[in-house]
Amino acid sequence: MAYYLVYNGFWNPDGLPESAAALTAAAAHEGLTLTATPNTAWIARYDGAGTAVAGEYGALTAGDTVLFWDKDTRLAHAMEAVGARLFNTATAVELCDDKLKTHAVLAKAGLPMPRTLAAPMTYVENSAAGCAAFWREAEENLGFPMVVKECFGSLGGQVYLVHDRRELEELTLSLGAKPFLVQRFVASSAGNDKRLYVVGDRVAAAMHRHSDSDFRANIENGGVGFAYAPTDEERDLALAACCALGLHFGGVDILDGEEGPLLCEVNSNAHMAGITAATGVDVARAIIHYVKENTQ
């Protein structure tokens, strides 16, 4: 049985990204040979004989383990079809990659979150005539300001705050055919959130993130992180979210609502550097330990 790590080769053409390097180092510390590979090094082949995945590292075989640190879910599904075991699974990564799918699963599980509306699907540029009914419903259901999120985005990007109907119209028209959602703005948590990093059935680390200059608290957008001891309610909420989405591990972002914690986002391959620096917890090693325990 071989162990592979898959990261995105397009975003990282010149070497390992920070998270992949941390995971590879942690694996070596645990005595595990983890071969880091870009998704671009693998080719999925389909024919009458079934599915095969092979490339620069040879052929993937049933029983191999893949630490899937990417969003190339087509490749992930092919790897599972071959019989490899993925951490996280293709379906879990898919659900987290699309923010609207994330909220649909969380809503079905009855977990608290800001009220969220799905924008209608379109194949062409949006038009004022086509969007008018949605704009009206968004304004009546959420009020202003409201948060607009593209369904696909990372590191706090593709997330916007609009303050009135004019801004909502201009922004959503500019998005064209990109899928997006709109969400109630949680003013009580502006510039603040909690990031809980779940590994298996426990919260391995947690930090409070704060920004003085942005409604988003992401460290990548100028926020700072501090070690944080989550409440039992926050801990249970993070674990329930990961369970609902089928995640082996993930970063769960929680807002402080006026009546209690609210789920903001769940990330299948959340960056670890910020929370490790803030808390001193080696999250990469916790993930490797979990993978090793569940495959040997």
Side-chain angles (χ1 to χ4, degrees):
M1 177 179 68
Y3 286 85
Y4 297 100
L5 181 148
V6 173
Y7 64 90
N8 190 277
F10 289 100
W11 282 107
N12 306 279
D14 300 321
L16 291 181
E18 188 173 48
S19 294
L23 289 162
T24 304
H29 197 281
E30 290 280 333
L32 197 67
T33 300
L34 179 66
T35 303
T37 68
N39 69 315
T40 49
W42 297 98
I43 299 295
R45 186 190 73 226
Y46 306 92
D47 56 30
T51 303
V53 178
E56 296 177 23
Y57 300 88
L60 191 72
T61 62
D64 286 345
T65 295
V66 180
L67 185 50
F68 204 83
W69 211 263
D70 190 25
K71 297 180 179 181
D72 186 349
T73 54
R74 294 180 180 87
L75 174 61
H77 280 295
M79 287 179 155
E80 289 180 337
V82 169
R85 185 173 182 190
L86 268 60
F87 297 81
N88 285 299
T89 68
T91 297
V93 173
E94 209 164 53
L95 291 175
C96 291
D97 188 32
D98 185 332
K99 292 180 175 62
L100 195 53
K101 287 183 178 180
T102 302
H103 284 293
V105 170
L106 299 178
K108 185 176 181 180
L111 300 177
M113 69 190 75
R115 177 173 291 178
T116 301
L117 304 183
M121 184 177 182
T122 180
Y123 297 97
V124 296
E125 289 188 5
N126 289 316
S127 67
C131 291
F134 176 72
W135 290 335
R136 182 176 61 254
E137 288 298 319
E139 184 173 2
E140 291 177 358
N141 273 271
L142 307 178
F144 292 106
M146 75 175 67
V147 176
V148 177
K149 294 183 180 181
E150 295 181 34
C151 287
F152 301 97
S154 301
L155 307 177
Q158 298 79 47
V159 178
Y160 318 92
L161 188 66
V162 296
H163 299 85
D164 53 40
R165 176 69 174 262
R166 179 187 61 79
E167 286 187 13
L168 175 64
E169 293 179 6
E170 290 179 354
L171 174 60
T172 54
L173 287 175
S174 74
L175 293 178
K178 294 178 181 177
F180 68 94
L181 58 85
V182 293
Q183 198 168 65
R184 176 168 289 166
F185 176 56
V186 183
S188 54
S189 197
N192 293 276
D193 71 7
K194 316 290 176 48
R195 162 63 64 84
L196 276 62
Y197 215 117
V198 172
V199 180
D201 60 358
R202 68 186 184 92
V203 174
M207 67 176 169
H208 176 185
R209 299 186 299 188
H210 171 74
S211 174
D212 287 322
S213 59
D214 200 306
F215 75 99
R216 300 164 297 180
N218 303 71
I219 292 175
E220 294 79 8
N221 292 322
V224 293
F226 308 92
Y228 174 71
T231 66
D232 289 343
E233 187 177 9
E234 290 168 339
R235 191 182 303 273
D236 290 345
L237 185 56
L239 292 171
C242 287
C243 181
L245 292 162
L247 290 169
H248 297 292
F249 50 81
V252 182
D253 298 341
I254 295 177
L255 303 177
D256 291 319
E258 292 182 358
E259 298 181 2
L262 299 170
L263 288 166
C264 177
E265 291 186 8
V266 184
N267 305 277
S268 63
N269 50 355
H271 286 205
M272 298 172 288
I275 197 165
T276 294
T279 65
V281 176
D282 189 341
V283 175
R285 193 165 179 189
I287 290 173
I288 293 297
H289 184 72
Y290 174 82
V291 170
K292 185 177 179 181
E293 275 195 330
N294 285 274
T295 55
Q296 293 186 348

